[in-house]
Each structure stands twice: as structure tokens, then as C-alpha cells.
Amino acid sequence: MDAFYSDQAYRALVKSPAELVAQTLKATGANARGYTAAAAAMAPMGQVLFYPPNVAGWPGGSSWINSSTLLNRINFANAAAQRSQASMTAQTLAQLSDTLVDANVSPTTRDGLEAFAAAHSADQAGLLFMVLATPEFQLN
Amino acid sequence: MFSRRDFLKQGLVPVFAGSAVPSVFANGVAAAAADSPNATPSDRVLVLVQLAGGNDGLNTVIPFQDGAYHDARPTLRQDQGVLGLNAQLGLHSNLKGLKASWDAGQLAIVQGVGYPNPSLSHFASMSIWETASVQGGIGDGWLGRYLNYLDQVGETPNHALEGVSAGSLVPPELRSKTPVTALQSLRTFRLQPVNEHGTQVDVENPLMKFYGAFKGAGPAPFGALFDTTLQEALQASHALQATDATYQAKATYPANSPIASSLKLVAETIVSGLGVRVAHVTLGGFDNHSREKPVLQGHGLGDRVLVMTWSEFGRRVKENGSAGTDHGTAAPMFLLGAPVKGGLYGQQPSLTDLDNGNLKFGTDFRSVYASVLQGYLKAPASDLLGGNYEILPLLKA
């Protein structure tokens, strides 16, 4: 068990677009019918499913992250959170943080999220987005 | 990646004019040149066009008088309409734009370009071209090393936009310590605000803080990367949004084409003087094991922009049984634009003196890179390429 939390393993991988999209959709309670849209959302993040750049596959790791893909990752979380606003069950910041980022974010981020939650108490989608947009959520 | 089919349908290759998108691109680049006729070397822009998949050099620059060509290509050969460059060689009949550049003295063709012990694997060979090292590998790309060099000598007018690429991924040639911007569309290249019941809530500042804090917090090796990338992205995004507000496109772009949108942005960044030094465009679909047709079309460009094409390999001399060609070796490279001294360079490879059915290369691709780095970008080629390669007189001073 400790090995999972070792420095070598814990948040040592960048989520691939497929992982990021799947986890985001699960977090926003989206249904499975939007799967083609979900696949399409991965393309601007640098991954077209079943269409790797060459036979070696996707290089992964830091190659998922550039200025364009990072903005796309964050904007996708925003759009997904907005879309699911109506169907979402209310969750506290503590619950969101626990499920999505292992209740382990930097103190600055924790303070920032708490401040957002306090200032926008009626905005469940906004809060969910803020958690999904953290650097911590970009990693596995 | 842009597909070869898209370009065939539109009858064009993006940076080479011919139809809506590329003419806009070319116009933009020409406008940039007009704005700064006395560009200093550091203002010079290199646009690298990757013909991904292995372009068939023999059906691009055609040795139409060579009997061996006709024998080797019973179905693929072009008998009629070759655009003659001289008595032996001609461009494929679809390459009228390139021929116009040739006539204007703005096209240099380096023949028989390759490297020793060629790899016939797409990704091994691409990696060799991208890193300019026959070991390949995942180190900085050859143009990434040029960007690093610009940083060292303090040539960083707008850091995030120094290296730009059309598409969603940063190509390995540009891999460097300098962040490189992948441009897809202006709409996606910005941080969207949170929409709280109709009110726009800006999230830029809190997110900048989150990413800044994470840089020092986690054991993860990615903290610094995330932080720098977000900062550079927002800086570049602001610069582009400001530019786009005033930018007047000189032609209409197809509304729903991601290619057009990507290229418009790349052209815009060049034209708007946002400090682009190196731009990269990938054209996919040159891996024509069957039913092959040529694709390039060309057009002239501005003074401070040099366009160079490359492909990971050429094709075999003999066509295969399905009217295609299999992975080969040497192929021509094109350099296009006003900075070029037009003409043919290198040796036309023999079609009969072959190495296991493949053309023997006459010019090392690193010699072409060195010529561009030294002759055009005024950078120390031997340092950046890790060796001394012959400088070809491809470019004006």
C-alpha cells in the first residue's frame, strides 16, 4: 500500500486525455450516450482514439502537456461541469476534494477552493470545475 | 494531423498557395514581408512542413527521360505533362504552384537527401530527422535546440510564441527547454470563464495561484511544467486575442475547417509580429502503399519567411503490386521563398545503381539543416547539430 503513495508512484503520471475525459464525465454524472462527443473532446487534447501518431503509440507523460492541450483540458472541465449542472447532486467541497484529488492539494489551492466555495455558494458547477482544473487532478 | 485527403480535395497544401487557406497564408506572410523589408536575421521565420508518411520523391521530381523510371513505375509513372525543370527532370503536373516559384527563382530543390544506414521504419526515421541525430531518441529537436540558443543569446521577444505549431501537439523537432505553442483555434486557445447563472466569473487568477503553488508542492516531476505551461499559454493567448481583435484577414477562411483555423492562427502570429521564429505544419497521408497520387502545390512567399519541406524517407524505386510504393530512402527536399537561391542542388540519384532496390543518398539531410541554420537563421550550425556538415549555397546572404 505504501508503494502506491511513494514518490515514484504518487501523481507520477499525467492523465491521458482518455483518462481525463472519462474521469471528468464520471465526476459530472454525465450519461454514457455522449460517448462520441467524449471521444471528440480528446482530439484537441492530443489524443484521437484508435489513431495514434505512429505505430509506437502516444508518447505520453509530459508530451500531453503544452499550452494548447492544457487550456483544452481546463476548458473541457468547465464545459462538462456547466452541462451537467441540472442533474448534479450537491456535494460539499470536502466531498469533491476527497473523490477527485485524494483530499490532497497544496495549501494555496485548498484556500483558493474554500474561498471560491464561500463566494459562490450557489454555484455547484463552478466549484466542481475549480476542483477539476487543479494541477493535482491532471495527474494520476 | 491534417489529412492528405483534405488537401487533395481542396487541391492544395496549406502553406503553399492555391486555394482559400493557403493564399491567405501566403498573403499574410507577404504582408509581413512588406511590413519589414529590411528584416534583420533574427526576424526571420522558418516554416517547416512535414510530409508525414514518406513522400515519393521520384513522382515529385520526376526523371522523365530516364528509361529506368518508366520500367520501375509501369502504372505510377507520369508520361504526360511533366513540368520541366531541365531536359531530364520535371515536377509532377499537379505542382504548378511550385513550378511558378521555380520560374521566379524562389525554389531550391535538394536532390537525393538521406543519411547513412537508413531506417525504413516511420518512427525511427522520423526521430532521426527530428533530432538530427542518427541515434534518434527523445532529446530536444533540432529546431528546439535553435530555440534554446535564442534563449541563451537573449533573443526572446515573445517567449511563448517563438515556436508555434499548427495542430494539437508540439512536434518533436521543436521539443526544447522553451515552451512551444500548439495553435488550433482562437476559440479554444483561451481560458473560458465560469458562467455562474449568466455572470462570467474570471478564474485566471485563482488557477494561476493553484499552478504556482503546485510547482513547489508535490513530489511530481510535472509541477514546474504545468506552471510554466499555464503561464506561457495565458500570455500567448492574451497576445493572440489582442491581435485577433484588430487582424483583418485578407481572404475568407472556410468556416468549419480546423486546418484553416489552425493555419490562420499560425499566419496571424507571423504577420502580427508576435515574435515567431519557427512554425511547424504537418501534412499527413504520404504513406502511399497503394493508389498513390502526388499532392504538393506551391506559391511564393515573403522575404523573411523560408519554407522547407521534409519527409522521413522516400519510396522504393519499383512500384509494388497494388499501384503504390513501399518505404524507401533518399528523396528531394524543397526550400521555398524569397530567401532562396533557386535551382537544383545535390546529385540526382541513379535509378540503376541501387542499394537493395533503394536510391543511394548523395546529400546528408543535416547538411541542409546546417545550411538553413547558418545561412538563413545565422545560428551556429555545428554546435546545434553536434557536427560539421557541408554548407550548401541554397540561400541568399
Side-chain angles (χ1 to χ4, degrees):
Chain A
M1 191 65 184
D2 284 348
F4 291 112
Y5 288 91
S6 70
D7 285 359
Q8 285 79 26
Y10 191 69
R11 290 186 177 149
L13 293 171
V14 178
K15 277 178 187 155
S16 69
E19 291 171 313
L20 189 87
V21 167
Q23 291 177 27
T24 302
L25 291 180
K26 188 152 196 310
T28 55
N31 65 40
R33 274 176 303 177
Y35 61 90
T36 47
M42 296 169 201
M45 302 177 197
Q47 187 171 36
V48 181
L49 286 183
F50 309 111
Y51 193 65
N54 60 49
V55 292
W58 292 276
S62 57
S63 77
W64 291 128
I65 300 302
N66 65 48
S67 50
S68 178
T69 55
L70 183 57
L71 289 179
N72 269 293
R73 290 163 81 103
I74 296 173
N75 288 337
F76 172 73
N78 196 344
Q82 293 291 333
R83 255 197 310 276
S84 58
Q85 200 158 18
S87 59
M88 228 181 320
T89 48
Q91 287 193 69
T92 63
L93 174 57
Q95 287 169 317
L96 289 173
S97 167
D98 195 37
T99 355
L100 297 172
V101 287
D102 194 27
N104 179 9
V105 293
S106 72
T108 309
T109 300
R110 193 189 54 229
D111 294 350
L113 290 172
E114 278 168 3
F116 188 95
H120 309 274
S121 55
D123 187 9
Q124 176 73 29
L127 183 61
L128 171 62
F129 160 67
M130 290 303 277
V131 178
L132 294 173
T134 57
E136 285 85 353
F137 185 72
Q138 305 303 314
L139 299 168
N140 271 340
Chain B
M1 192 188 287
F2 311 141
S3 87
R4 185 170 176 274
R5 184 177 297 261
D6 289 338
F7 287 101
L8 279 176
K9 260 196 295 200
Q10 298 180 33
L12 57 87
V13 155
V15 288
F16 306 114
S19 141
V21 179
S23 67
V24 169
F25 191 87
N27 286 347
V29 169
D35 289 346
S36 51
N38 303 314
T40 59
S42 65
D43 287 338
R44 294 178 173 186
V45 182
L46 173 65
V47 179
L48 194 64
V49 179
Q50 178 182 359
L51 312 175
N55 182 39
D56 181 12
L58 273 184
N59 260 9
T60 312
V61 180
I62 301 172
F64 62 93
Q65 292 289 29
D66 193 334
Y69 165 73
H70 294 265
D71 294 345
R73 301 288 178 91
T75 61
L76 289 179
R77 71 182 174 219
Q78 190 171 35
D79 293 322
Q80 305 288 324
V82 170
L83 309 169
L85 301 173
N86 60 28
Q88 281 82 42
L89 288 173
L91 292 171
H92 191 279
S93 56
N94 283 11
L95 306 178
K96 293 192 174 65
L98 273 183
K99 178 59 165 50
S101 297
W102 171 267
D103 293 339
Q106 297 197 349
L107 175 65
I109 301 174
V110 189
Q111 301 192 80
V113 184
Y115 56 91
N117 304 315
S119 168
L120 301 186
S121 144
H122 287 292
F123 63 98
S125 194
M126 277 167 68
S127 171
I128 288 168
W129 281 78
E130 287 155 356
T131 56
S133 146
V134 289
Q135 282 86 41
I138 55 161
D140 287 349
W142 72 281
L143 286 171
R145 300 201 289 270
Y146 168 64
L147 295 177
N148 291 341
Y149 160 78
L150 288 180
D151 272 6
Q152 280 163 22
V153 298
E155 286 263 358
T156 49
N158 195 339
H159 207 245
L161 292 169
E162 221 169 68
V164 298
S165 135
S168 65
L169 290 181
V170 171
E173 292 95 321
L174 295 182
R175 206 161 41 206
S176 66
K177 286 158 203 72
T178 309
V180 169
T181 297
L183 292 171
Q184 299 175 75
S185 77
L186 202 62
R187 189 180 54 78
T188 55
F189 197 71
R190 61 183 296 190
L191 194 61
Q192 303 292 345
V194 164
N195 178 359
E196 187 188 341
H197 313 299
T199 313
Q200 308 275 296
V201 180
D202 177 48
V203 291
E204 194 168 312
N205 286 324
L207 286 185
M208 288 283 274
K209 284 189 197 136
F210 292 3
Y211 281 71
F214 185 64
K215 181 174 149 186
F222 300 109
L225 172 73
F226 277 120
D227 182 45
T228 321
T229 307
L230 186 66
Q231 283 187 37
E232 297 284 350
L234 293 175
Q235 185 200 336
S237 167
H238 294 157
L240 276 173
Q241 307 289 340
T243 293
D244 192 65
T246 56
Y247 182 76
Q248 297 291 319
K250 299 203 171 173
T252 317
Y253 289 89
N256 297 319
S257 160
I259 304 164
S261 146
S262 236
L263 286 168
K264 175 168 179 262
L265 269 185
V266 172
E268 244 182 270
T269 51
I270 295 177
V271 178
S272 311
L274 292 176
V276 177
R277 294 289 183 260
V278 182
H280 184 278
V281 176
T282 302
L283 308 180
F286 285 83
D287 191 13
N288 295 300
H289 289 278
S290 63
R291 281 167 308 178
E292 173 179 309
K293 290 239 169 60
V295 69
L296 285 177
Q297 295 205 347
H299 197 279
L301 294 157
D303 284 349
R304 52 185 280 259
V305 177
L306 171 67
V307 176
M308 177 165 92
T309 67
W310 72 278
S311 192
E312 66 267 34
F313 39 60
R315 318 295 298 185
R316 284 177 76 77
V317 174
K318 274 182 111 55
E319 68 181 52
N320 61 24
S322 47
T325 49
D326 295 331
H327 300 182
T329 51
M333 285 175 79
F334 293 96
L335 290 93
L336 191 68
V340 162
K341 270 194 260 177
L344 289 166
Y345 297 86
Q347 288 281 318
Q348 164 70 17
S350 163
L351 300 192
T352 46
D353 177 22
L354 300 175
D355 178 9
N356 185 28
N358 279 319
L359 299 172
K360 291 182 179 169
F361 83 99
T363 302
D364 194 297
F365 71 97
R366 288 163 294 185
S367 190
V368 182
Y369 287 3
S371 310
V372 169
L373 287 169
Q374 190 111 338
Y376 178 66
L377 298 172
K378 308 294 180 197
S382 37
D383 290 355
L384 296 177
L385 297 175
N388 289 309
Y389 297 94
E390 189 194 351
I391 303 293
L392 307 169
L394 303 167
L395 296 151
K396 294 173 189 160

